[in-house]
Structures are given as C-alpha cells and as structure tokens.
Short mmCIF file of all heavy atoms in Angstrom, two decimals:
data_model
loop_
_atom_site.label_atom_id
_atom_site.label_comp_id
_atom_site.label_asym_id
_atom_site.label_seq_id
_atom_site.Cartn_x
_atom_site.Cartn_y
_atom_site.Cartn_z
N GLY G 1 0.77 -1.22 0.00
CA GLY G 1 0.00 0.00 0.00
C GLY G 1 0.80 1.29 0.00
O GLY G 1 0.29 2.33 -0.41
N SER G 2 2.05 1.23 0.46
CA SER G 2 2.86 2.42 0.60
C SER G 2 4.29 2.14 0.20
O SER G 2 4.77 1.01 0.32
CB SER G 2 2.84 2.92 2.05
OG SER G 2 1.52 3.21 2.47
N THR G 3 4.97 3.18 -0.26
CA THR G 3 6.38 3.07 -0.64
C THR G 3 7.16 4.25 -0.09
O THR G 3 6.60 5.32 0.19
CB THR G 3 6.55 3.01 -2.16
OG1 THR G 3 6.01 4.20 -2.75
CG2 THR G 3 5.84 1.80 -2.74
N ASP G 4 8.46 4.07 0.04
CA ASP G 4 9.34 5.15 0.43
C ASP G 4 10.70 4.91 -0.21
O ASP G 4 11.05 3.77 -0.54
CB ASP G 4 9.46 5.26 1.94
CG ASP G 4 9.92 6.63 2.39
OD1 ASP G 4 9.93 7.57 1.57
OD2 ASP G 4 10.26 6.78 3.59
N TYR G 5 11.47 5.99 -0.36
CA TYR G 5 12.71 5.95 -1.12
C TYR G 5 13.79 6.78 -0.45
O TYR G 5 13.50 7.75 0.25
CB TYR G 5 12.49 6.50 -2.53
CG TYR G 5 11.43 5.77 -3.31
CD1 TYR G 5 10.10 6.16 -3.23
CD2 TYR G 5 11.77 4.69 -4.11
CE1 TYR G 5 9.13 5.48 -3.94
CE2 TYR G 5 10.79 4.01 -4.82
CZ TYR G 5 9.47 4.41 -4.72
OH TYR G 5 8.51 3.73 -5.43
N ALA G 6 15.01 6.39 -0.72
CA ALA G 6 16.12 7.24 -0.36
C ALA G 6 16.05 8.53 -1.18
O ALA G 6 15.60 8.54 -2.33
CB ALA G 6 17.45 6.53 -0.64
N ALA G 7 16.49 9.62 -0.57
CA ALA G 7 16.43 10.90 -1.26
C ALA G 7 17.18 10.88 -2.58
O ALA G 7 16.78 11.54 -3.55
CB ALA G 7 16.99 12.00 -0.35
N SER G 8 18.25 10.11 -2.65
CA SER G 8 19.08 10.08 -3.84
C SER G 8 18.39 9.43 -5.04
O SER G 8 18.84 9.63 -6.18
CB SER G 8 20.39 9.35 -3.55
OG SER G 8 20.14 8.02 -3.12
N VAL G 9 17.34 8.66 -4.81
CA VAL G 9 16.67 7.96 -5.92
C VAL G 9 15.22 8.38 -6.09
O VAL G 9 14.58 7.99 -7.07
CB VAL G 9 16.75 6.43 -5.76
CG1 VAL G 9 18.19 5.98 -5.55
CG2 VAL G 9 15.85 5.95 -4.63
N LYS G 10 14.70 9.16 -5.17
CA LYS G 10 13.30 9.55 -5.24
C LYS G 10 13.02 10.29 -6.54
O LYS G 10 13.76 11.19 -6.93
CB LYS G 10 12.93 10.42 -4.04
CG LYS G 10 11.44 10.66 -3.90
CD LYS G 10 11.11 11.38 -2.61
CE LYS G 10 9.62 11.55 -2.42
NZ LYS G 10 9.30 12.22 -1.14
N GLY G 11 11.95 9.90 -7.20
CA GLY G 11 11.60 10.48 -8.48
C GLY G 11 12.19 9.76 -9.66
O GLY G 11 11.76 9.98 -10.80
N ARG G 12 13.17 8.90 -9.43
CA ARG G 12 13.80 8.15 -10.50
C ARG G 12 13.50 6.65 -10.41
O ARG G 12 13.41 5.98 -11.43
CB ARG G 12 15.32 8.35 -10.48
CG ARG G 12 15.73 9.80 -10.67
CD ARG G 12 17.25 9.92 -10.84
NE ARG G 12 17.97 9.48 -9.64
CZ ARG G 12 18.85 8.49 -9.62
NH1 ARG G 12 19.14 7.82 -10.74
NH2 ARG G 12 19.47 8.17 -8.49
N PHE G 13 13.40 6.14 -9.19
CA PHE G 13 13.18 4.71 -8.97
C PHE G 13 11.77 4.48 -8.47
O PHE G 13 11.20 5.32 -7.74
CB PHE G 13 14.15 4.16 -7.92
CG PHE G 13 15.59 4.10 -8.35
CD1 PHE G 13 16.06 4.71 -9.50
CD2 PHE G 13 16.50 3.41 -7.55
CE1 PHE G 13 17.38 4.64 -9.88
CE2 PHE G 13 17.84 3.34 -7.91
CZ PHE G 13 18.28 3.96 -9.07
N THR G 14 11.22 3.33 -8.81
CA THR G 14 9.90 2.94 -8.34
C THR G 14 9.94 1.49 -7.88
O THR G 14 10.34 0.61 -8.64
CB THR G 14 8.84 3.09 -9.43
OG1 THR G 14 8.80 4.44 -9.89
CG2 THR G 14 7.46 2.71 -8.89
N ILE G 15 9.52 1.26 -6.65
CA ILE G 15 9.41 -0.10 -6.14
C ILE G 15 7.96 -0.54 -6.24
O ILE G 15 7.04 0.25 -6.01
CB ILE G 15 9.93 -0.19 -4.69
CG1 ILE G 15 9.97 -1.65 -4.22
CG2 ILE G 15 9.12 0.68 -3.74
CD1 ILE G 15 10.66 -1.84 -2.87
N SER G 16 7.76 -1.79 -6.60
CA SER G 16 6.42 -2.34 -6.68
C SER G 16 6.49 -3.82 -6.34
O SER G 16 7.58 -4.40 -6.24
CB SER G 16 5.82 -2.13 -8.08
OG SER G 16 6.59 -2.78 -9.07
N ARG G 17 5.34 -4.43 -6.17
CA ARG G 17 5.32 -5.85 -5.86
C ARG G 17 4.12 -6.51 -6.50
O ARG G 17 3.07 -5.90 -6.71
CB ARG G 17 5.32 -6.09 -4.34
CG ARG G 17 4.08 -5.61 -3.61
CD ARG G 17 4.30 -5.61 -2.10
NE ARG G 17 4.61 -6.94 -1.58
CZ ARG G 17 5.12 -7.16 -0.37
NH1 ARG G 17 5.42 -6.14 0.43
NH2 ARG G 17 5.36 -8.41 0.02
N ASP G 18 4.30 -7.77 -6.82
CA ASP G 18 3.25 -8.63 -7.32
C ASP G 18 3.11 -9.75 -6.31
O ASP G 18 3.90 -10.70 -6.30
CB ASP G 18 3.59 -9.17 -8.71
CG ASP G 18 2.48 -9.99 -9.32
OD1 ASP G 18 1.62 -10.51 -8.58
OD2 ASP G 18 2.45 -10.12 -10.55
N ASN G 19 2.13 -9.64 -5.45
CA ASN G 19 2.01 -10.59 -4.35
C ASN G 19 1.67 -12.00 -4.84
O ASN G 19 2.07 -12.98 -4.21
CB ASN G 19 0.96 -10.10 -3.35
CG ASN G 19 1.44 -8.90 -2.57
OD1 ASN G 19 2.63 -8.77 -2.26
ND2 ASN G 19 0.53 -8.00 -2.24
N ALA G 20 0.94 -12.10 -5.94
CA ALA G 20 0.63 -13.41 -6.48
C ALA G 20 1.88 -14.15 -6.92
O ALA G 20 1.91 -15.38 -6.92
CB ALA G 20 -0.35 -13.29 -7.65
N LYS G 21 2.91 -13.41 -7.30
CA LYS G 21 4.17 -14.00 -7.75
C LYS G 21 5.26 -13.95 -6.68
O LYS G 21 6.38 -14.38 -6.95
CB LYS G 21 4.66 -13.30 -9.01
CG LYS G 21 3.74 -13.46 -10.20
CD LYS G 21 4.31 -12.74 -11.41
CE LYS G 21 3.42 -12.93 -12.62
NZ LYS G 21 3.95 -12.21 -13.81
N ASN G 22 4.94 -13.41 -5.51
CA ASN G 22 5.94 -13.24 -4.46
C ASN G 22 7.17 -12.51 -4.99
O ASN G 22 8.31 -12.86 -4.67
CB ASN G 22 6.35 -14.58 -3.85
CG ASN G 22 5.36 -15.09 -2.83
OD1 ASN G 22 4.59 -14.32 -2.24
ND2 ASN G 22 5.38 -16.38 -2.59
N THR G 23 6.94 -11.48 -5.78
CA THR G 23 8.02 -10.79 -6.47
C THR G 23 7.96 -9.30 -6.19
O THR G 23 6.88 -8.70 -6.19
CB THR G 23 7.95 -11.05 -7.98
OG1 THR G 23 8.08 -12.46 -8.22
CG2 THR G 23 9.06 -10.33 -8.71
N VAL G 24 9.12 -8.72 -5.98
CA VAL G 24 9.26 -7.28 -5.84
C VAL G 24 10.12 -6.76 -6.98
O VAL G 24 11.05 -7.45 -7.43
CB VAL G 24 9.84 -6.90 -4.46
CG1 VAL G 24 11.26 -7.43 -4.29
CG2 VAL G 24 9.80 -5.39 -4.25
N TYR G 25 9.82 -5.57 -7.45
CA TYR G 25 10.51 -4.98 -8.58
C TYR G 25 11.11 -3.63 -8.18
O TYR G 25 10.61 -2.94 -7.29
CB TYR G 25 9.56 -4.75 -9.75
CG TYR G 25 8.84 -5.99 -10.20
CD1 TYR G 25 7.57 -6.29 -9.72
CD2 TYR G 25 9.42 -6.87 -11.11
CE1 TYR G 25 6.90 -7.43 -10.13
CE2 TYR G 25 8.76 -8.01 -11.53
CZ TYR G 25 7.50 -8.29 -11.03
OH TYR G 25 6.84 -9.42 -11.45
N LEU G 26 12.14 -3.26 -8.88
CA LEU G 26 12.69 -1.92 -8.77
C LEU G 26 12.91 -1.38 -10.17
O LEU G 26 13.83 -1.82 -10.87
CB LEU G 26 14.01 -1.92 -7.99
CG LEU G 26 14.57 -0.53 -7.70
CD1 LEU G 26 13.68 0.23 -6.72
CD2 LEU G 26 16.00 -0.62 -7.15
N GLN G 27 12.05 -0.47 -10.57
CA GLN G 27 12.20 0.20 -11.85
C GLN G 27 13.13 1.39 -11.66
O GLN G 27 12.85 2.27 -10.84
CB GLN G 27 10.85 0.67 -12.38
CG GLN G 27 10.92 1.44 -13.69
CD GLN G 27 11.36 0.57 -14.85
OE1 GLN G 27 10.88 -0.54 -15.02
NE2 GLN G 27 12.30 1.07 -15.63
N MET G 28 14.22 1.41 -12.38
CA MET G 28 15.23 2.44 -12.23
C MET G 28 15.33 3.23 -13.53
O MET G 28 15.69 2.67 -14.58
CB MET G 28 16.58 1.82 -11.88
CG MET G 28 16.55 0.94 -10.64
SD MET G 28 18.19 0.35 -10.15
CE MET G 28 18.57 -0.69 -11.55
N ASN G 29 15.01 4.50 -13.46
CA ASN G 29 15.08 5.39 -14.61
C ASN G 29 16.11 6.48 -14.36
O ASN G 29 16.51 6.73 -13.22
CB ASN G 29 13.71 6.01 -14.88
CG ASN G 29 12.65 5.00 -15.22
OD1 ASN G 29 12.92 3.98 -15.85
ND2 ASN G 29 11.42 5.29 -14.80
N SER G 30 16.51 7.14 -15.42
CA SER G 30 17.47 8.24 -15.33
C SER G 30 18.68 7.85 -14.51
O SER G 30 19.13 8.58 -13.62
CB SER G 30 16.78 9.48 -14.74
OG SER G 30 15.68 9.88 -15.52
N LEU G 31 19.23 6.71 -14.83
CA LEU G 31 20.34 6.18 -14.05
C LEU G 31 21.58 7.06 -14.17
O LEU G 31 21.85 7.64 -15.22
CB LEU G 31 20.66 4.76 -14.49
CG LEU G 31 19.68 3.71 -13.95
CD1 LEU G 31 19.77 2.43 -14.74
CD2 LEU G 31 19.95 3.45 -12.47
N ARG G 32 22.31 7.12 -13.08
CA ARG G 32 23.52 7.92 -12.97
C ARG G 32 24.70 7.02 -12.61
O ARG G 32 24.50 5.98 -12.00
CB ARG G 32 23.35 8.98 -11.88
CG ARG G 32 22.15 9.88 -12.07
CD ARG G 32 21.87 10.65 -10.80
NE ARG G 32 20.72 11.55 -10.94
CZ ARG G 32 20.14 12.16 -9.93
NH1 ARG G 32 20.58 11.99 -8.69
NH2 ARG G 32 19.09 12.95 -10.16
N PRO G 33 25.91 7.43 -12.93
CA PRO G 33 27.06 6.61 -12.55
C PRO G 33 27.12 6.31 -11.05
O PRO G 33 27.55 5.23 -10.66
CB PRO G 33 28.25 7.47 -12.99
CG PRO G 33 27.72 8.21 -14.18
CD PRO G 33 26.30 8.54 -13.82
N GLU G 34 26.68 7.23 -10.23
CA GLU G 34 26.70 7.00 -8.79
C GLU G 34 25.68 5.97 -8.33
O GLU G 34 25.68 5.57 -7.16
CB GLU G 34 26.50 8.32 -8.02
CG GLU G 34 25.27 9.10 -8.43
CD GLU G 34 25.57 10.19 -9.45
OE1 GLU G 34 26.36 9.96 -10.38
OE2 GLU G 34 25.01 11.30 -9.30
N ASP G 35 24.81 5.50 -9.23
CA ASP G 35 23.91 4.40 -8.92
C ASP G 35 24.60 3.05 -9.05
O ASP G 35 24.01 2.02 -8.70
CB ASP G 35 22.68 4.42 -9.83
CG ASP G 35 21.82 5.64 -9.63
OD1 ASP G 35 21.60 6.03 -8.46
OD2 ASP G 35 21.35 6.21 -10.64
N THR G 36 25.81 3.03 -9.56
CA THR G 36 26.54 1.79 -9.72
C THR G 36 26.75 1.12 -8.37
O THR G 36 27.30 1.71 -7.45
CB THR G 36 27.89 2.05 -10.39
OG1 THR G 36 27.67 2.54 -11.72
CG2 THR G 36 28.73 0.78 -10.45
N ALA G 37 26.31 -0.13 -8.26
CA ALA G 37 26.40 -0.86 -7.01
C ALA G 37 25.87 -2.26 -7.23
O ALA G 37 25.27 -2.57 -8.27
CB ALA G 37 25.58 -0.17 -5.91
N VAL G 38 26.08 -3.10 -6.24
CA VAL G 38 25.36 -4.36 -6.16
C VAL G 38 24.04 -4.08 -5.45
O VAL G 38 24.03 -3.51 -4.36
CB VAL G 38 26.16 -5.44 -5.41
CG1 VAL G 38 25.34 -6.72 -5.28
CG2 VAL G 38 27.47 -5.71 -6.13
N TYR G 39 22.95 -4.48 -6.07
CA TYR G 39 21.63 -4.24 -5.52
C TYR G 39 21.09 -5.53 -4.90
O TYR G 39 21.14 -6.59 -5.52
CB TYR G 39 20.68 -3.74 -6.61
CG TYR G 39 20.89 -2.29 -6.94
CD1 TYR G 39 22.03 -1.88 -7.62
CD2 TYR G 39 19.97 -1.32 -6.56
CE1 TYR G 39 22.25 -0.55 -7.90
CE2 TYR G 39 20.18 0.01 -6.84
CZ TYR G 39 21.32 0.40 -7.52
OH TYR G 39 21.53 1.73 -7.80
N TYR G 40 20.58 -5.40 -3.70
CA TYR G 40 20.05 -6.53 -2.94
C TYR G 40 18.58 -6.31 -2.62
O TYR G 40 18.19 -5.21 -2.23
CB TYR G 40 20.80 -6.68 -1.61
CG TYR G 40 22.27 -6.95 -1.74
CD1 TYR G 40 23.18 -5.90 -1.79
CD2 TYR G 40 22.76 -8.25 -1.78
CE1 TYR G 40 24.54 -6.14 -1.89
CE2 TYR G 40 24.11 -8.49 -1.88
CZ TYR G 40 25.00 -7.44 -1.93
OH TYR G 40 26.35 -7.69 -2.02
N CYS G 41 17.80 -7.35 -2.75
CA CYS G 41 16.43 -7.30 -2.25
C CYS G 41 16.39 -7.99 -0.90
O CYS G 41 17.24 -8.83 -0.56
CB CYS G 41 15.44 -7.94 -3.22
SG CYS G 41 15.65 -9.71 -3.50
N ALA G 42 15.40 -7.62 -0.11
CA ALA G 42 15.29 -8.13 1.24
C ALA G 42 13.84 -8.20 1.66
O ALA G 42 13.00 -7.45 1.18
CB ALA G 42 16.08 -7.25 2.21
N VAL G 43 13.57 -9.11 2.58
CA VAL G 43 12.24 -9.29 3.14
C VAL G 43 12.32 -9.20 4.65
O VAL G 43 13.22 -9.79 5.27
CB VAL G 43 11.64 -10.66 2.75
CG1 VAL G 43 10.30 -10.87 3.44
CG2 VAL G 43 11.49 -10.77 1.24
N ARG G 44 11.40 -8.46 5.23
CA ARG G 44 11.27 -8.45 6.68
C ARG G 44 10.27 -9.54 7.06
O ARG G 44 9.06 -9.38 6.88
CB ARG G 44 10.81 -7.10 7.22
CG ARG G 44 10.69 -7.09 8.74
CD ARG G 44 10.30 -5.72 9.28
NE ARG G 44 9.98 -5.78 10.70
CZ ARG G 44 10.86 -5.66 11.69
NH1 ARG G 44 12.15 -5.45 11.41
NH2 ARG G 44 10.47 -5.72 12.95
N GLY G 45 10.78 -10.63 7.58
CA GLY G 45 9.93 -11.75 7.97
C GLY G 45 9.61 -11.79 9.44
O GLY G 45 9.02 -12.77 9.90
N THR G 46 9.98 -10.77 10.17
CA THR G 46 9.73 -10.65 11.60
C THR G 46 8.56 -9.70 11.83
O THR G 46 8.10 -9.04 10.89
CB THR G 46 11.00 -10.17 12.32
OG1 THR G 46 11.50 -9.00 11.68
CG2 THR G 46 12.08 -11.25 12.27
N PRO G 47 8.04 -9.60 13.05
CA PRO G 47 6.86 -8.76 13.27
C PRO G 47 7.04 -7.32 12.79
O PRO G 47 8.13 -6.75 12.87
CB PRO G 47 6.66 -8.84 14.78
CG PRO G 47 7.18 -10.19 15.14
CD PRO G 47 8.38 -10.39 14.25
#
C-alpha cells in the first residue's frame, strides 16, 4: 500500500510488488554513474 525511497533515488526509482508471484521490482530510470552498485532485495519476515 505504501512506498518510500532514499532521497538520492526519489523520483527516479519505483518499487512495486506482485504478491501473487511473491516478487518485488525496482524500476530504475534516469540512471547515474553513482547508482553503480550491487543491488540486494530483502524481506522483513519478523513482526
């Protein structure tokens, strides 16, 4: 229902999820060299 972003990517990246597929996405637009990194997804499985 809600999303939030780091200031450095706000307006350029969009996170979404497809619960039927247990999948989360990160759409990254207007990429910059400083976006270069290893990207990790994570799940909070605790309360």
